mmCIF file of all heavy atoms in Angstrom:
data_model
loop_
_atom_site.group_PDB
_atom_site.id
_atom_site.type_symbol
_atom_site.label_atom_id
_atom_site.label_comp_id
_atom_site.label_asym_id
_atom_site.label_seq_id
_atom_site.Cartn_x
_atom_site.Cartn_y
_atom_site.Cartn_z
ATOM 1 N N GLY A 4 0.377 8.772 0.612
ATOM 2 C CA GLY A 4 1.027 10.039 0.486
ATOM 3 C C GLY A 4 0.064 11.155 0.523
ATOM 4 O O GLY A 4 -1.126 11.038 0.651
ATOM 5 N N PHE A 137 -25.621 67.314 11.679
ATOM 6 C CA PHE A 137 -25.851 66.435 10.521
ATOM 7 C C PHE A 137 -24.615 65.683 10.063
ATOM 8 O O PHE A 137 -24.551 64.555 9.845
ATOM 9 C CB PHE A 137 -26.387 67.279 9.381
ATOM 10 C CG PHE A 137 -26.675 66.404 8.111
ATOM 11 C CD1 PHE A 137 -27.847 65.695 8.050
ATOM 12 C CD2 PHE A 137 -25.818 66.470 7.026
ATOM 13 C CE1 PHE A 137 -28.089 64.961 6.886
ATOM 14 C CE2 PHE A 137 -26.024 65.666 5.890
ATOM 15 C CZ PHE A 137 -27.252 64.951 5.844
ATOM 16 N N SER A 166 -27.737 49.426 4.425
ATOM 17 C CA SER A 166 -28.060 50.624 5.286
ATOM 18 C C SER A 166 -26.961 51.702 5.138
ATOM 19 O O SER A 166 -27.354 52.856 5.045
ATOM 20 C CB SER A 166 -28.102 50.180 6.695
ATOM 21 O OG SER A 166 -29.191 49.135 6.899
ATOM 22 N N GLN A 267 -5.682 80.438 -3.627
ATOM 23 C CA GLN A 267 -5.343 81.276 -4.808
ATOM 24 C C GLN A 267 -5.173 82.698 -4.486
ATOM 25 O O GLN A 267 -5.851 83.184 -3.547
ATOM 26 C CB GLN A 267 -6.383 81.112 -5.910
ATOM 27 C CG GLN A 267 -6.664 79.673 -6.391
ATOM 28 C CD GLN A 267 -7.670 79.625 -7.455
ATOM 29 O OE1 GLN A 267 -7.508 80.143 -8.541
ATOM 30 N NE2 GLN A 267 -8.795 79.000 -7.191
ATOM 31 N N GLN A 292 -24.320 124.394 -1.559
ATOM 32 C CA GLN A 292 -23.071 124.094 -2.223
ATOM 33 C C GLN A 292 -23.373 123.290 -3.499
ATOM 34 O O GLN A 292 -24.366 122.561 -3.525
ATOM 35 C CB GLN A 292 -22.084 123.355 -1.427
ATOM 36 C CG GLN A 292 -21.686 124.146 -0.159
ATOM 37 C CD GLN A 292 -20.665 123.326 0.696
ATOM 38 O OE1 GLN A 292 -20.340 122.131 0.314
ATOM 39 N NE2 GLN A 292 -20.174 123.911 1.792
#
Side-chain angles (χ1 to χ4, degrees):
F137 180 80
S166 300
Q267 301 181 65
Q292 297 182 359

